[in-house]
Amino acid sequence: VTATPLTVLLIAFGLAVHALRWDSMTRLAERLRALPAPAFAGALIVAMLVVDAMRFEGVAPFIYFRF
C-alpha cells in the first residue's frame, strides 16, 4: 500500500494537533470566528476540497464476500 503525499501530510497534521497546548484550538476557533464571512467561506471550501481529494476512487471492495 502506498501513501500519497497528501495522505502523509494529513496524518502529520493530525499527529501535530495532539501535540498542541489545550488552549491552542480555542485560540484558533476565536481567530476563525473573527474572519469576514467570505474568508471563512473560502476556508470551508478549501477544507471540503481536501476531504474530497482524500475520497476513495472507484468502487470500494466488499470485504465480507467470503462470509
Side-chain angles (χ1 to χ4, degrees), residues 9-60:
L9 179 71
L10 290 175
I11 290 172
F13 175 73
L15 291 172
V17 165
H18 290 286
L20 294 175
R21 291 190 347 223
W22 178 255
D23 64 338
S24 298
M25 295 309 283
T26 304
R27 286 185 283 142
L28 176 64
E30 289 171 358
R31 287 183 182 160
L32 286 174
R33 194 176 303 127
L35 284 176
F40 187 73
L44 286 177
I45 289 171
V46 168
M48 286 189 277
L49 289 174
V50 168
V51 169
D52 185 52
M54 290 298 300
R55 197 171 38 133
F56 182 75
E57 293 183 13
V59 177

